[in-house]
Amino acid sequence: MSELIKVEIEKLSKEIEEHNYNYYVLSNPTISDFEFDKLLEELIKLEKEHPEYLKPDSPSQRVGGQITKEFKSVKHKYPMLSLGNTYNEEDLRDFDERIRKSGISNYEYVCELKYDGVSISLTYVDGILSQAVTRGDGEKGDDITANVKTINSIPLNLRGNDFPAEFEIRGEIFMPKKEFLRINEDIRKQLIEEGYNEEEIYEKQLKNPRNATSGTLKQQDSKAVAERKLDCYLYSVLGENLPFKSHYESLEAAKSWGFKVSGEMEKFASLDGVIKYLEKWDTKRHSLNVETDGVVIKVNSYEHQRFLGFTAKSPRWAIAYKFKATQVSTLLESISYQVGRTGAITPVANLKPVLLAGTTVKRASLHNADIIEKLDVRIGDTVFVEKGGEIIPKIIGVDLNKRAGSGTNLFEEETGPTKYITHCPECGTELVRSEGEANHYCPNELGCPPQVKGKIEHFVSRKAMDIDSLGSETIAQLYDAGLIKTIADIYELKKEDLLKIERMAEKSANNLLEGIEASKKVPFERVMFAIGIRHIGETTAKKLAYYFKNIDSIINATLEQLLEVGDIGEKTAQTIIAYFADEKSVEIINKLKVQGLQFELSGEQLANKSEKLKDLTFVVSGVFTKFNRDDLKKTIEQNGGKNVGSISGKTSYVIAGENMGPEKLKKAEKLGVKIISEDDFIKMIE
Ligand code: IVH
């Protein structure tokens, strides 16, 4: 029986890896995502029931979940060198000249794109991925095997049977551009809901795909790595007595073993071909889903490579040609100032449209007054625009030769240094800038139109009061008609008022009033989020609600009490205090109370009961930051789960805190029991 299961696990693993290969390496899936998930689920189930058959190269490892507290430092068998750089054709001709003069002839070049990511060295023993190490200082790097196993295009075991018993293969792990944009869009949506302004969002977003890759690979929880879909191109095979005569041949073989080798690689008999390749990719690279910053040119034959050898830092047989940073100059036509929902002012440069790295750029953020001053940008200037990480455009400087007085400025007169606005462009209130803050703010929170409309939009949004029939257009109409000036006014709306609004028919008015009525049942923690205190996102609102249990305790809370709530820092605590110190805020809360909104936890919430963890068993190990151990255990029970003392094949989850014992960790890994953090646990009971 158990032999049959072993065979079944092996068969399933093979089948899943084949689909992985089709999807991620060949980009040619042959089954649907749904069917794929079913197969994987089946495998995970069997491995859980029979942990003795869980192998380190099982595709279930790609889902992640393994926690590495500290990455082990590993000495590279072959040092990881860097490449000499060239920036123009002349340098490249010098490189070619040096090779010719060394005495070799009839040499070929292989050109590959230079991928902008994080280099990695993978070791395979008997066809199985045994170790993945970062470059580090070139001599020693970090063992990030668990994280690398989650990258779907990296084979956990190799195809065919003609690979060397032991070898290393090196390449570049990168974050595809589309994935980078997707993650940034998610971060943006989340932060907008939490009331952050453009500048703060920009600060918190991923800066470029390379940084994002390196940050992701440093994660201790491999599940976090699995969630960000990294990819990897392999470009160099290393080992003793490799059966190849050339680099090109080695990569062709690597391809047949299941590695993702770039399709952009080409072989040339002379430098002329190389130069044509550079010209072609200088622009074409922008259409790829991976960032590239140059071309790597390598002498193909291994014999030639051995002959040419190395300098102290880099091989003499290879060189990198770096593309010029994609930069253009254009005219700064005007600067506009946007007022966000929180009152933060963001200056935006309006540019004469210009093509840059494949997209038309019309606007660029100028961030804040300091940046404008530092760059000394003036309206009418010709400015240099560059794409940071090729994705977000920014102004990097001014072409002073083209400023007024030089005779080439497109504006008649010198416009003088940019004077930052002193008053809100929307409501005319004088702006303020607090000590240490980069942004100017409009303090007229309850009277500045975009702030008020923004507050109301946030209040009715899905994760807040969820009044979905009240869209931003209707809000603007109601606001302009003077029918709503604060969030409390929503509950005073009458049908006859609504019917006065353009395009509002009887039916939509009824719908809206029903939606407003229904929102009175929305639980306290969401009301807390909806009222829109700066820096109070969904999670913090929930924590406040559960900690203080009702609004009056929050209104009366001292700084010290607020700081006792997990994850609330000094700045957030101060914001909460300032918010409730304003009697206008308290007045709005009082009006909402009278209307019957939920300003305390319900009886059920107080009892904190649910069946969400029914049939699940937990082992709690280590020290936690958001619960003490007893509370954590109590919470498990109140939600229908069971606590057990030691890990077995039947354990559903280990909740790992700081300093979890290494033995427990090992045992959980061996038995394939899922290890989760306290945050994962909180998500389970939400
Ligand atoms: S070959 C001796 N090929 O560029 C080094 N490197 O400065 C041989 N890179 O650290 C490296 N794409 O991370 C090679 N097609 C490619 C590459 C590539 C990106 C990176 C690699 C290395 C750096 C060289």
Side-chain angles (χ1 to χ4, degrees), residues 291-497:
E291 284 301 337
T292 52
D293 61 349
V295 169
V296 182
I297 300 132
K298 305 174 183 174
V299 170
N300 189 23
S301 138
Y302 276 172
E303 198 187 323
H304 289 159
Q305 287 189 5
R306 272 191 294 273
F307 181 80
L308 289 159
F310 297 84
T311 68
K313 280 189 294 191
S314 50
R316 287 200 186 87
W317 44 263
I319 200 150
Y321 170 86
K322 297 287 273 278
F323 293 126
K324 286 187 192 59
T326 8
Q327 205 186 76
V328 283
S329 68
T330 188
L331 180 72
L332 173 63
E333 294 185 325
S334 62
I335 297 177
S336 42
Y337 296 85
Q338 293 178 341
V339 187
R341 175 165 77 79
T342 56
I345 310 291
T346 310
V348 176
N350 299 306
L351 306 166
K352 184 166 176 233
V354 61
L355 200 63
L356 174 61
T359 46
T360 304
V361 178
K362 291 189 228 114
R363 284 145 64 84
S365 169
L366 280 167
H367 306 295
N368 55 50
D370 289 345
I371 303 266
I372 293 181
E373 200 184 315
K374 197 168 121 214
L375 293 169
D376 186 23
V377 274
R378 306 175 185 193
I379 294 164
D381 271 345
T382 296
V383 291
F384 296 110
V385 185
E386 197 176 283
K387 279 204 168 176
E390 314 275 333
I391 285 178
I392 303 156
K394 62 176 178 203
I395 293 180
I396 51 157
V398 174
D399 188 347
L400 290 175
N401 292 326
K402 293 202 178 148
R403 182 165 280 175
S406 67
T408 47
N409 185 287
L410 292 165
F411 284 62
E412 296 281 296
E413 290 165 34
E414 151 78 90
T415 50
T418 299
K419 288 195 193 75
Y420 204 81
I421 50 167
T422 52
H423 290 76
C424 175
E426 296 281 347
C427 70
T429 306
E430 191 170 354
L431 301 179
V432 293
R433 187 183 188 182
S434 325
E435 190 83 25
E437 287 245 8
N439 277 98
H440 284 73
Y441 279 89
C442 166
N444 184 14
E445 220 181 300
L446 300 173
C448 177
Q451 295 193 60
V452 177
K453 283 187 258 181
K455 256 187 188 305
I456 299 171
E457 278 173 27
H458 168 75
F459 183 78
V460 303
S461 65
R462 196 171 47 82
K463 288 183 177 170
M465 304 306 281
D466 194 21
I467 311 178
D468 66 353
S469 38
L470 196 47
S472 55
E473 221 174 291
T474 316
I475 291 174
Q477 287 173 321
L478 291 168
Y479 178 83
D480 294 340
L483 290 168
I484 46 174
K485 291 199 191 67
T486 71
I487 50 176
D489 295 340
I490 296 175
Y491 294 89
E492 309 274 354
L493 285 170
K494 307 268 172 310
K495 194 157 158 193
E496 53 271 30
D497 293 334

Side-chain angles (χ1 to χ4, degrees), residues 82-87 98 114 295 313-315 318-322:
S82 59
L83 290 171
N85 285 329
T86 60
Y87 297 90
R98 283 198 298 276
K114 187 167 186 296
V295 169
K313 280 189 294 191
S314 50
I319 200 150
Y321 170 86
K322 297 287 273 278

Side-chain angles (χ1 to χ4, degrees), residues 81-99:
L81 302 173
S82 59
L83 290 171
N85 285 329
T86 60
Y87 297 90
N88 52 45
E89 202 180 309
E90 204 184 322
D91 290 349
L92 214 55
R93 293 204 181 276
D94 289 347
F95 167 73
D96 185 47
E97 186 75 16
R98 283 198 298 276
I99 292 177

Side-chain angles (χ1 to χ4, degrees), residues 534-550:
R534 264 181 83 198
H535 306 306
I536 307 296
E538 241 186 308
T539 318
T540 315
K542 188 173 232 165
K543 283 188 185 146
L544 282 168
Y546 276 86
Y547 190 92
F548 290 102
K549 304 194 171 46
N550 60 58

Side-chain angles (χ1 to χ4, degrees), residues 81-83 112-115 119 135 172 235 296 298 315:
L81 302 173
S82 59
L83 290 171
E112 294 155 26
L113 289 176
K114 187 167 186 296
Y115 301 102
S119 44
R135 179 173 190 276
E172 201 82 356
Y235 49 63
V296 182
K298 305 174 183 174

